[in-house]
Amino acid sequence: MSTQTGRGVDRLVRLLPLSGVAFAVLSMAGNLTIDKFPEPDTPISKLSTYYADHHAQLGRGGMLLGYSVVFMVLFGVALWSRARKVQAPTVISGALLVGTAMVGATMITGANAFLALGQIAGKPTVTPQALQAWHINASVGGFGADSVVLMLAVAAGGIPVRAFPRWLAWTALALAVLAFTPLAFFGYLLFHLWAAVVGIALTARPAGEVVAAVEPGAEAQPAYVH
């Protein structure tokens, strides 16, 4: 690999965390496009009327959500790359990838449900019962166990190991705890803000500023320079 090509790759790797910003923007745009969504127990008669008027809008929102998942996965890869760069324990880097895959799978399932509703909900051949089933499928989601795995991996990578800044790790831990409370929906919203802020912070302070802090008589532990 030539020096110029290597520099180009390094530049892309450095900018990779900004995918967290793209994820947040596209996801919020998708949710705003979908707008107020009927509750899962909405009567079939009202659902039929709603989808007759809003199916195209839901399709556009689902498409934006689908694009956001691509950047969410890239953001997770950026976190994994940072952990690997400072030689974090394998269990942490592995958990980052597993958590990213889980979040991506959940989010793409929800995005595809909205996209499918946008394509089929306005067709007369779709029965009200089928429409209701798809509606319930699209209504299920939120800040669940998949996100918790990713947040706990980030917390573990920043608090005891210090592969990430401490503020990043502690806020990730707070989001993980929030997922187990009745305020989990707000955790879902805060996760987008967290991803955007973390993406900017990690881009501004690249992995080159991560060094090893060695204590006398102890093994080297990765540390993040603040």
Side-chain angles (χ1 to χ4, degrees):
M1 182 183 292
S2 67
T3 303
Q4 185 175 1
T5 301
R7 289 176 180 174
V9 172
D10 289 341
R11 188 177 299 111
L12 287 175
V13 172
R14 175 171 180 169
L15 295 177
L16 190 60
L18 287 178
S19 54
V21 179
F23 154 70
V25 171
L26 286 170
S27 184
M28 287 293 98
N31 284 304
L32 289 174
T33 300
I34 293 170
D35 203 8
K36 188 175 180 179
F37 194 63
E39 296 294 330
D41 58 352
T42 301
I44 293 180
S45 58
K46 291 185 177 180
L47 283 180
S48 300
T49 302
Y50 170 82
Y51 282 110
D53 297 332
H54 297 87
H55 64 276
Q57 173 184 336
L58 293 176
R60 290 191 296 269
M63 182 174 63
L64 289 171
L65 290 177
Y67 290 147
S68 76
V69 177
V70 175
F71 289 99
M72 171 60 226
V73 172
L74 291 176
F75 175 65
V77 171
L79 294 175
W80 169 81
S81 177
R82 178 62 60 100
R84 292 274 294 176
K85 197 83 172 180
V86 299
Q87 298 181 347
T90 303
V91 65
I92 291 177
S93 58
L96 287 170
L97 282 183
V98 171
T100 298
M102 293 172 67
V103 173
T106 299
M107 288 186 171
I108 198 62
T109 299
N112 285 340
F114 285 113
L115 189 59
L117 282 170
Q119 294 173 344
I120 69 173
K123 296 182 178 181
T125 54
V126 179
T127 65
Q129 290 75 16
L131 185 61
Q132 186 181 45
W134 273 101
H135 173 76
I136 294 174
N137 183 46
S139 301
V140 177
F143 201 66
D146 48 2
S147 304
V148 171
V149 172
L150 179 59
M151 293 296 95
L152 289 179
V154 172
I159 298 174
V161 178
R162 298 185 65 190
F164 304 113
R166 287 292 180 89
W167 66 264
L168 187 160
W170 282 110
T171 52
L173 182 60
L175 287 175
V177 173
L178 195 62
F180 294 100
T181 72
L183 301 176
F185 174 74
F186 295 100
Y188 171 77
L189 297 178
L190 289 173
F191 175 67
H192 291 77
L193 176 61
W194 180 87
V197 172
V198 168
I200 294 172
L202 294 187
T203 302
R205 200 174 272 262
E209 298 184 20
V210 180
V211 299
V214 182
E215 297 181 2
E219 294 184 357
Q221 296 293 329
Y224 196 96
V225 177
H226 296 274

